[in-house]
Amino acid sequence: MTSATVTSSDRSPANMERRESGTRAAIPSREDLIEAVRAYHPEADAARLGDAYDFAKEKHGEQLRKSGDPYYSHPVQVAMLLAFIQLDQCTIMAGLLHDTVEDCDVALEEIERRFGVDVGELVDGVTKLGQLQYKSEKSKQAENFQKFILATVQDIRVLLVKLADRLHNMRTLHFIPKEESRLRIARETMDIYAPLARRVGLYQVASELEDLAFHHINPAARDSIIDKLEELTSENANDLERIRFAIKQIVAENGIEARVKGRRKQPYSIWRKLERKSISFRDVADIFAFRVIVGSVQECYQLLGAFHTVWACLPDRFRDFISVPKPNGYASLHTTVRASGNRLVELQIRTEAMDRTAEHGVAAHWTYKNSEYGFDLESSKAAGLDPGANLRAFGELLADGAEPDEFLEHAKLEMYRENVFVFTPKGRLIILPGGAMPLDFAYAVHTAVGDTCDGVKINGVVRTLRTQLKNGDVVEILRRPESRPVVGWEALTVTGRARSAIRRLIRDREQIEFVKLGRTLIDRDLRRAGIDPIEIDMPRIARRADFESSEELAEAIGRGRYETADFIRTAFPGHEPAQSDPQQRMLIDDNHASRMIAGADLTPGVTLHLGECCHPIPGDRIIGLREPEKGLVIHTIFCQRVVDFEDRPDLWVDLRWNDVSKQGVVAVGRIGVRAVNKRGVMATQASAVAQAGGNITRVETGERSADFLQLIFDIEVEDLRHLEQIKAALRALAVVESVERIEEVVN
C-alpha cells in the first residue's frame, strides 16, 4: 500500500521495528494527509478532512498505543495507507474515525451527524464488536467475522479500511508484550485478512500481511528462507541480468514498447510451496520472475509467441489469466521458460491496466467519472473484477443461515483453495475452488438446481457425484421434480455455499417432518383419550396450551420438547391420556401403523434413523422410539434399547415396512462368523458374500486363537431374506464353523 511495500528489505519486520522504536517516523500532520489526498483528488474537501483528523486526535486524547505513541497516530497512519491507494474522501475519513465509536464512547449518530451517513456506515461496518459477550474467543472471532463480511458485501470500502487497519497493526505487532496475543493476531491475519486481501486483488497488501504474520508464527523458517534467497540471488545475479537484457532485446526485435520489472518470490509464498509440494528450495521454479508490461492485449500474445520461439517453455507451467481472469480480476499471461544458462524463469506478460489491477486489485478502479471521484464499477467489470460478486459467496452463506463458527470455517475454505474453471452446457463460465464436485457446481449455478440435483453428466458422460471437476469440463446437472435432502451429500462438496445450502435444506425438511410426526402422535393419543381429532378446533386448542399455532404445537411434540400427555391434560381438563400395556404393544398394530419407513413420509438420515445397536432391515419386526431433536429411531422389537424404555410406551411409535422398502432399498445387516484361522479365509468369505449379492461395508476382527477367529461383517442387503441367503452361503464354506446375526437382544 505504501512505498514501504515495494522492496523486500524495506518490508522486513526488522526494519519496521527500527522505524517504530527509538527512531520512529513522525506522525503525519493534518496538512500531510490533506496534501496526500489532494495529490490525486484536487477537489477533495480539505476542511472536512481536517475536521475528521482533529476529531480523531481530540477523542483519542491521552490514549497511548503499546509502542508509547499517541493512539491517534494509528488512525492517521491508516488514513495515509488508504490515501496511498487513492481511495475516495469518505473512505479516508472512515479510516481516521474507525476506532472512535469503540474506544472513545462516541455515538455512531454523532459520526453520521457531523461527517455524513456514508462515513457513519463505513465506520459502523469496520467497528470491532468487543463490547458483546461471547462464549469463547473462537465464537467472538466467528461472529465478528460474520458481521464484518455482511458489511463488506454491502460496501467493499469496509474491507479496504479494515485491511489498512490490520496492516498498520501488524507493522507494530512486536510492541504487544504477550507472545500468546501476538501469535493469536498473527494467525488470524494469516487465516482471514491476507486471504481476503487476495480475494479483492490487493496482492501487495496480502504479501506484506503474510510476511509480517510469518515473522511471528515461524521466525526461524522465515529467516532460513531469506538467507537462502539472498544466497541464491547472489549466485544468479549475472544470469538474471543476462536474461533481463535478452527479454528487452526480444521485445525490441518485435517492435513493441514495454517495461520490464524483476520480481523475487516472497518468503511465505516459498514456504507454502515447499509445504504443499514437498520439494526442495532450489526446485521452486518461480523464485525469480520478470514482468513484461505492454500496451495492448494483442501485444501480450505476440510477445508470448516470441518468447516461446526463442526459449523452451514448460507446458504444465503455462497459465492464461487474460482469457479467463481470476475471480479477483487478476489478468496476465504466465509462462515458465528455460532461458539462457538453463535457468528456469517465470515470465508474466500483461498490459498497464492489468498491472494496476494486479498491484491494487479493486482499489485500482477509484477515479474521476462525471466530475465525481469514486469507484468506477464499469471500469472494474471491464477488467474482470466485480467486487460485489467476488465476495458474494460469503453473503450466500449468510443467506443460508450458517452459524458463525460454521460460516468462518467455510469462508476459510473459500479463501484458501485454488480455482477450477468449468462451464454449463450453454457456455456460462463457473469458477469453483480446486477439488470441487458436481454438487458444488449445481449450487453455484442456483440454489434450486442444487436442491433438486439427481445426477450429473460431465462432458456428455454420466458420472458419479463424487467426481472431481477439472478445468474445461462441461457440466450438466440432472434434476428431479422435488427438492429433498440426501444423506451423505455434504461429504460430496467442498464449497461453503453448497454445504451451507444442504444444511439449510435438511433444517427445512426437518421442520416439515417434525410437524408431520407431531400431528401423527397427537392424532394417535387424542383417539386413545376418547377425543375425535376431526371434531376439534386444533388452532384454538393449541393456543389454550400456550402455542401460537397448531404447527408450532405439532413441531414441539415431534421434536420431543413437549409431550402429548401434557397437551391433553392442559387442553382438555378432565381427560387423562390412555395407559398402554407395553407387552401388547410389542405386536405391530397394522390399523395404526405409520407408513413412514424407507423413503415414504420421513426422510432417512433427517428425521428417520436406523438404530445402530440392532441394525434393523426390511423384514424385521420393528418399533420406533422418539428421541428429542432427532426424530424416530427404528429398532427391532427385541432390541435392548426398546426393553430399556418399556415403561415409556408414550415414546413408542408403531411402524412397519412399507412397499417402498421392498423395492431396492439398501439396509445394513451385521453378522458374526466363526471360521478356521488360516491364510485367505477372509478373502474366501468376502467372495461368497459378493456372489450372494451382498456388499461388505465394514470388517472387524473379534476373538482369535491359533485355530479359530471371529470376523464381524457389516453387509448391505435388500431385506431379511437376503441376509439369510448370505448367511447360508457362508455356512456352506468348509472354513466356516458358524454364522450368526449380531444384534442386541433381551437376555
Side-chain angles (χ1 to χ4, degrees), residues 260-313:
V260 179
K261 299 191 297 185
R263 188 274 288 157
R264 192 175 79 176
K265 201 171 186 68
Q266 296 300 324
Y268 180 68
S269 295
I270 295 174
W271 173 254
R272 281 195 67 193
K273 185 158 284 191
L274 295 176
E275 273 192 317
R276 191 169 61 246
K277 296 193 174 182
S278 300
I279 57 178
S280 68
F281 184 88
R282 291 179 180 270
D283 289 332
V284 179
D286 58 345
I287 287 180
F288 302 109
F290 288 96
R291 290 172 181 160
V292 185
I293 303 161
V294 299
S296 69
V297 171
Q298 182 180 354
E299 289 175 338
C300 289
Y301 287 102
Q302 183 182 343
L303 269 184
L304 176 69
F307 289 134
H308 284 183
T309 301
V310 176
W311 292 317
C313 74

Side-chain angles (χ1 to χ4, degrees), residues 158-365:
V158 172
L159 175 58
L160 302 181
V161 176
K162 190 66 178 178
L163 290 174
D165 170 52
R166 179 52 62 118
L167 179 56
H168 186 253
N169 281 332
M170 286 301 296
R171 287 179 174 178
T172 57
L173 184 62
H174 53 277
F175 286 114
I176 293 180
K178 288 186 178 180
E179 182 183 11
E180 180 182 353
S181 297
R182 293 196 304 272
L183 286 174
R184 176 182 58 78
I185 295 169
R187 289 193 181 101
E188 184 181 71
T189 297
M190 193 75 86
D191 287 348
I192 295 175
Y193 291 99
L196 274 174
R198 290 192 184 279
R199 186 90 179 189
V200 292
L202 292 169
Y203 284 95
Q204 281 192 341
V205 177
S207 292
E208 184 169 355
L209 288 172
E210 287 170 345
D211 191 46
L212 290 164
F214 192 30
H215 169 70
H216 290 279
I217 294 171
N218 198 338
R222 181 182 179 276
D223 290 344
S224 175
I225 288 174
I226 288 176
D227 289 342
K228 291 179 180 178
L229 269 176
E230 297 294 345
E231 179 184 338
L232 200 60
T233 302
S234 177
E235 288 178 7
N236 295 279
N238 293 334
D239 279 350
L240 294 173
E241 193 54 41
R242 281 196 300 271
I243 293 169
R244 181 193 296 271
F245 179 79
I247 291 172
K248 290 183 176 180
Q249 193 172 27
I250 293 170
V251 169
E253 289 172 354
N254 281 268
I256 296 174
E257 291 187 7
R259 291 190 296 118
V260 179
K261 299 191 297 185
R263 188 274 288 157
R264 192 175 79 176
K265 201 171 186 68
Q266 296 300 324
Y268 180 68
S269 295
I270 295 174
W271 173 254
R272 281 195 67 193
K273 185 158 284 191
L274 295 176
E275 273 192 317
R276 191 169 61 246
K277 296 193 174 182
S278 300
I279 57 178
S280 68
F281 184 88
R282 291 179 180 270
D283 289 332
V284 179
D286 58 345
I287 287 180
F288 302 109
F290 288 96
R291 290 172 181 160
V292 185
I293 303 161
V294 299
S296 69
V297 171
Q298 182 180 354
E299 289 175 338
C300 289
Y301 287 102
Q302 183 182 343
L303 269 184
L304 176 69
F307 289 134
H308 284 183
T309 301
V310 176
W311 292 317
C313 74
L314 276 64
D316 60 338
R317 296 281 305 163
F318 172 68
R319 298 289 184 273
D320 186 345
F321 295 117
I322 292 179
S323 63
V324 184
K326 290 185 178 183
N328 59 21
Y330 179 88
S332 183
L333 296 175
H334 287 200
T335 184
T336 299
V337 298
R338 198 171 292 280
S340 57
N342 204 32
R343 171 67 54 200
L344 289 180
V345 176
E346 182 177 81
L347 301 177
Q348 300 172 357
I349 311 168
R350 61 183 66 152
T351 65
E352 291 285 357
M354 293 173 192
D355 192 53
R356 286 194 300 274
T357 299
E359 293 293 326
H360 296 305
V362 67
H365 298 277

Side-chain angles (χ1 to χ4, degrees), residues 442-591:
Y443 279 105
V445 172
H446 196 279
T447 300
V449 176
D451 287 351
T452 56
C453 176
D454 197 39
V456 65
K457 286 185 178 180
I458 301 175
N459 302 321
V461 179
V462 175
R463 300 290 188 188
T464 69
L465 292 177
R466 195 176 295 278
T467 306
Q468 286 196 1
L469 302 178
K470 301 188 293 295
N471 281 327
D473 280 345
V474 177
V475 184
E476 178 186 356
I477 297 299
L478 308 176
R479 301 174 65 182
R480 57 177 177 271
E482 81 290 343
S483 62
R484 196 180 187 100
V486 177
V487 177
W489 260 18
E490 196 175 335
L492 303 179
T493 61
V494 299
T495 60
R497 177 181 181 181
R499 291 183 177 184
S500 182
I502 290 167
R503 291 179 185 179
R504 184 259 315 148
L505 184 63
I506 291 173
R507 285 195 299 268
D508 291 348
R509 188 72 190 183
E510 263 186 358
Q511 184 177 19
I512 292 170
E513 294 187 0
F514 276 127
V515 169
K516 187 178 297 183
L517 176 60
R519 283 175 172 161
T520 299
L521 298 173
I522 291 171
D523 182 88
R524 180 196 68 181
D525 288 357
L526 283 175
R527 291 183 185 279
R528 286 179 180 165
I531 303 169
D532 188 346
I534 299 176
E535 297 180 357
I536 66 173
D537 183 348
M538 280 302 300
R540 182 177 63 83
I541 298 300
R543 288 193 295 273
R544 185 183 296 176
D546 295 326
F547 288 92
E548 293 290 331
S549 65
S550 58
E551 286 78 12
E552 184 180 319
L553 166 66
E555 183 180 356
I557 290 175
R559 289 184 180 275
R561 297 173 182 169
Y562 189 62
E563 297 298 330
T564 52
D566 296 330
F567 162 67
I568 290 172
R569 291 189 187 98
T570 302
F572 303 94
H575 284 272
E576 278 296 320
Q579 299 297 317
S580 300
D581 182 352
Q583 296 303 319
Q584 290 180 355
R585 291 176 55 83
M586 283 291 190
L587 298 176
I588 305 301
D589 181 357
D590 281 343
N591 293 325

Side-chain angles (χ1 to χ4, degrees), residues 93-106:
M93 294 168 66
L96 287 167
L97 303 169
H98 74 276
D99 275 341
T100 55
V101 173
E102 180 192 16
D103 294 340
C104 307
D105 295 325
V106 174

Side-chain angles (χ1 to χ4, degrees), residues 638-682:
F638 300 112
C639 177
Q640 183 63 47
R641 181 75 171 164
V642 175
V643 176
D644 290 343
F645 284 89
E646 63 181 355
D647 59 340
R648 291 292 309 278
D650 54 304
L651 298 180
W652 297 8
V653 176
D654 296 330
L655 299 173
R656 65 180 172 85
W657 301 102
N658 64 14
D659 293 338
V660 176
S661 71
K662 303 170 186 176
Q663 299 172 5
V665 171
V666 175
V668 175
R670 177 170 292 176
I671 60 174
V673 181
R674 180 176 167 83
V676 176
N677 188 0
K678 60 184 293 187
R679 183 175 299 174
V681 67
M682 186 181 296

